[in-house]
Amino acid sequence: MAVSLTPEGEVESGAAALGRNDLEKLEIELLLEGVFRHYGFDFRAYAYSSLRRRLWKRIEAEQLSSVSSLQDAVLHDPAVMERLLRDLSINVTAMFRDPTFYVAFREQIVPLLRTYPFVRIWHAGCSTGEEVFSMAILLKEEGLYDRCRIYATDINDNVLRQAKLRIFPLERMQEYTDNYIKAGGKRAFSEYYTAMYEGALFAPALLKNVVFSQHNLVTDGSFSEFNVILCRNVLIYFDKSLQAKVHGLFYDSLATFGMLALGSKESLKFSRYEHCYEELNMREKIYRKVL
Amino acid sequence: MFFDLIVVGASWGGLDALTVLMRGLPDDFAVPIVVVQHRSQDAESLLAELLQQWTGRTVVETEDKQPIEQGHIYIAPANYHLLIEDDYFSLTTEAPVRYSRPSIDVMFGSAAHAFGERLIGVVLTGANEDGSRGLQCVYEDGGYCLVQDPATAEVATMPAAALTRVPHATKRALPEIAGHLVDVARNGPPATYVRATA
Ligand SMILES: C[S@@+](CC[C@H](N)C(=O)[O-])C[C@H]1O[C@@H](n2cnc3c(N)ncnc32)[C@H](O)[C@@H]1O
């Protein structure tokens, strides 16, 4: 029994009562369960310590003092849920992020893709689209764009809407230009955009073969068969069990000899799908499905 | 062993300090060590290789969901926050905290939560105040706190800030830190150390 009553009738926690950490964990589980059942957002298997950190940030910002009080606020006030959702989705991205990845893509993947008449690419967790535009530029420069169809998905509708606008902050163009050069870019980066008052407007031709759509890696299934899947810096937010589930989805969605590209600090090594793939580039985390 | 994990934070001057630390630790000292060293965003992942020269233990740059193993030294990769779950790591690209990513505070905080009194936190040389709040978490969760004597630090700001926030932390000159860690891990904190009261 977890609690008992003292002779004065007060509740006292007994031998099975939870320690401070475990109690907090219980509160977090209850909050996430509530969010899922009431709003449909499923964060139940996201990586715990990062989730916990962000929950506490929201608790402090709302001037509350416990996870349970946040649960109360979130369940009764959609505006609080909205703010929490913003905290929980991390959309940090950049054009030609990790330039060496794009160099490896040009050198190792592009030659393989040239042998296909038609190429299907999936950017899973594309955020505001920077990665998609980078890939489109690379494929254009390699003369492959016209035979590619790119599916770019994210759980978050707002970032997809942003991506479709083709406008990116002007103040990041210097950084992106540097990345583009390091990534083996073949032209002047400024050829791809027009500087406007609202930002850098990228050429519509880059999106000609791109389809943006909402897709939740946790709850939605496979929707096509791909030759390349890129899922970079998304799985780090999931716990091990959810990662395994999503790796199952990628495996099912890849054609034989299809390529999977993860973020540079992510790895198949700690998942149970390792043996299904060969490493094409260990450093850049590019794998090829062989089984 | 009295402790299951050691976390170390360093900034300016850290490479030299970490080298001294690595050279001082015996190869058979198996407590896993996690290091956050501030460096530039696009620094090549050389730190692990540099430190590997000085120790027989395995030094690796940490990847997402990597398990924490005995005898290993884990380096936080540039441009990610490193978080500690119960027995493995996770990475995040959340915004820098007080201009740092990786942030020592963030890593220490998650380690303190996961390891409580089985944790040792060490703050070395540096020119900012990262690490002091994290060390406070280590202290408050019952862990052991060790700070490089600012007088022996290449830059004193960081260890001095840590001592201000955690006045009960033990202070040691750089060359003594490795030996002290081995001693504390095997025999427990010195009798004079004031542990946080729950
Ligand atoms: C840090 S961004 C990565 C952007 C880009 N791939 C990159 O590496 O630069 C992570 C993205 O994953 C998305 N995400 C998080 N959970 C998701 C889920 N369950 N299904 C699909 N996308 C998700 C977030 O909305 C966010 O846009």
Side-chain angles (χ1 to χ4, degrees), chain A residues 261-281:
Chain A
L262 303 175
S264 59
K265 302 300 166 200
E266 296 170 312
S267 175
L268 269 180
K269 211 165 28 191
F270 313 116
S271 86
R272 55 193 162 83
Y273 283 87
E274 191 185 7
H275 68 279
C276 304
Y277 293 85
E278 69 177 4
E279 262 173 5
L280 277 188
N281 188 317

Side-chain angles (χ1 to χ4, degrees), chain A residues 42-43 46 88-98 102 122-132 153-157 159-160 214-220 230-238 242 246 262-264 266, chain B residues 80 92-94:
Chain A
D42 192 354
F43 292 103
Y46 276 48
L88 293 184
S89 65
I90 294 163
N91 305 115
V92 195
T93 185
M95 288 198 178
F96 295 98
R97 180 180 195 170
D98 307 316
Y102 290 89
W122 178 16
H123 288 269
C126 66
S127 190
T128 37
E130 283 81 341
E131 189 182 86
V132 180
T153 65
D154 201 282
I155 188 178
N156 181 335
D157 218 13
V159 293
L160 296 174
Q214 193 177 22
H215 179 275
N216 184 342
L217 291 167
V218 182
T219 47
D220 296 335
L230 298 101
C231 185
R232 312 192 70 229
N233 305 300
V234 179
L235 297 182
I236 52 178
Y237 298 103
F238 299 171
L242 184 53
V246 177
L262 303 175
S264 59
E266 296 170 312
Chain B
Y80 291 81
T92 100
T93 54
E94 278 161 79

Side-chain angles (χ1 to χ4, degrees), chain A residues 20-21 24 48-50 52-54 90 92 97 182 233 236-238 240 243 265 267 270 285, chain B residues 42 44-45 61 63-67 77 80 83-85 88 91-94 97 106 113 141:
Chain A
R20 186 158 57 100
N21 281 3
E24 184 194 61
Y48 186 74
S49 46
S50 133
R52 174 175 170 269
R53 238 192 109 230
R54 286 175 279 156
I90 294 163
V92 195
R97 180 180 195 170
K182 285 189 207 145
N233 305 300
I236 52 178
Y237 298 103
F238 299 171
K240 283 196 213 171
Q243 280 197 356
K265 302 300 166 200
S267 175
F270 313 116
K285 305 295 156 36
Chain B
D42 44 20
E44 281 291 307
S45 319
E61 191 169 85
E63 290 183 338
D64 185 51
K65 304 297 179 284
Q66 185 156 11
Y80 291 81
L83 295 166
I84 292 170
E85 311 284 350
Y88 62 92
L91 299 173
T92 100
T93 54
E94 278 161 79
V97 173
V106 169
H113 185 75
D141 281 328

Side-chain angles (χ1 to χ4, degrees), chain B residues 22 25-28 51-59 71 73:
Chain B
M22 292 300 128
L25 288 173
D27 290 346
D28 64 354
L51 295 178
Q52 183 68 76
Q53 309 170 64
W54 307 112
T55 172
R57 300 176 48 167
T58 309
V59 186
I73 295 167

Side-chain angles (χ1 to χ4, degrees), chain B residues 7-198:
Chain B
V7 292
V8 180
S11 187
W12 191 277
L15 181 58
D16 288 342
L18 288 168
T19 302
V20 173
L21 178 61
M22 292 300 128
R23 298 182 75 162
L25 288 173
D27 290 346
D28 64 354
F29 178 65
V31 182
I33 301 177
V34 188
V35 177
V36 170
Q37 160 72 57
H38 294 157
R39 51 211 153 125
S40 76
Q41 262 193 33
D42 44 20
E44 281 291 307
S45 319
L46 281 175
L47 187 60
E49 284 145 57
L50 286 173
L51 295 178
Q52 183 68 76
Q53 309 170 64
W54 307 112
T55 172
R57 300 176 48 167
T58 309
V59 186
V60 290
E61 191 169 85
T62 316
E63 290 183 338
D64 185 51
K65 304 297 179 284
Q66 185 156 11
I68 301 177
E69 288 180 75
Q70 292 287 306
H72 281 55
I73 295 167
Y74 299 95
I75 311 292
N79 228 0
Y80 291 81
H81 290 301
L82 179 61
L83 295 166
I84 292 170
E85 311 284 350
D86 297 338
D87 54 359
Y88 62 92
F89 295 98
S90 57
L91 299 173
T92 100
T93 54
E94 278 161 79
V97 173
R98 280 177 284 280
Y99 309 106
S100 299
R101 191 174 60 200
S103 148
I104 302 170
D105 286 338
V106 169
M107 191 273 274
F108 277 27
S110 73
H113 185 75
F115 282 79
E117 52 189 43
R118 310 285 300 169
L119 179 72
I120 302 180
V122 185
V123 174
L124 302 174
T125 171
N128 54 60
E129 302 202 344
D130 193 14
S132 55
R133 287 173 177 80
L135 196 70
Q136 191 177 357
C137 295
V138 175
Y139 186 77
E140 285 169 0
D141 281 328
Y144 182 67
C145 297
L146 177 61
V147 175
Q148 177 177 5
D149 183 346
T152 70
E154 192 164 325
V155 184
T157 316
M158 204 161 92
L163 285 168
T164 305
R165 271 195 188 262
V166 189
H168 290 301
T170 302
K171 185 169 81 174
R172 281 286 182 279
L174 179 61
E176 293 165 27
I177 285 184
H180 185 70
L181 281 176
V182 175
D183 183 35
V184 169
R186 293 206 173 123
N187 306 314
T192 50
Y193 183 74
V194 184
R195 278 217 190 220
T197 42

Side-chain angles (χ1 to χ4, degrees), chain A residues 61-238:
Chain A
E62 302 287 333
Q63 299 183 325
L64 299 168
S65 59
S66 70
V67 180
S68 298
S69 57
L70 180 65
Q71 176 189 315
D72 184 29
V74 157
L75 292 183
H76 294 108
D77 185 352
V80 180
M81 182 65 231
E82 187 75 38
R83 293 195 286 273
L84 178 62
L85 204 55
R86 224 174 302 142
D87 294 337
L88 293 184
S89 65
I90 294 163
N91 305 115
V92 195
T93 185
M95 288 198 178
F96 295 98
R97 180 180 195 170
D98 307 316
T100 51
F101 166 75
Y102 290 89
V103 172
F105 197 96
R106 270 184 213 268
E107 290 173 357
Q108 288 180 274
I109 311 281
V110 163
L112 297 171
L113 298 184
R114 284 194 203 291
T115 65
Y116 299 155
F118 192 70
V119 178
R120 303 169 76 88
I121 299 176
W122 178 16
H123 288 269
C126 66
S127 190
T128 37
E130 283 81 341
E131 189 182 86
V132 180
F133 281 84
S134 309
M135 187 54 68
I137 289 172
L138 185 156
L139 293 168
K140 277 222 179 282
E141 293 184 357
E142 297 298 333
L144 275 176
Y145 186 84
D146 289 334
R147 61 172 109 153
C148 293
R149 177 146 286 244
I150 300 175
Y151 295 83
T153 65
D154 201 282
I155 188 178
N156 181 335
D157 218 13
N158 293 330
V159 293
L160 296 174
R161 219 169 303 135
Q162 181 66 39
K164 284 185 222 167
L165 294 178
R166 293 183 277 115
I167 299 174
F168 298 94
L170 273 175
E171 61 271 18
R172 297 199 69 178
M173 288 306 127
Q174 189 54 51
E175 172 199 345
Y176 294 171
T177 304
D178 293 347
N179 284 352
Y180 169 77
I181 294 167
K182 285 189 207 145
K186 293 183 170 169
R187 297 162 63 169
F189 189 57
S190 56
E191 287 177 30
Y192 294 104
Y193 65 87
T194 317
M196 310 222 303
Y197 177 72
E198 313 90 289
L201 176 66
F202 278 70
L206 294 171
L207 293 190
K208 194 173 108 262
N209 296 347
V210 177
V211 181
F212 286 104
S213 68
Q214 193 177 22
H215 179 275
N216 184 342
L217 291 167
V218 182
T219 47
D220 296 335
S222 178
F223 57 96
S224 186
E225 193 175 77
F226 297 96
N227 307 103
V228 181
I229 297 178
L230 298 101
C231 185
R232 312 192 70 229
N233 305 300
V234 179
L235 297 182
I236 52 178
Y237 298 103
F238 299 171

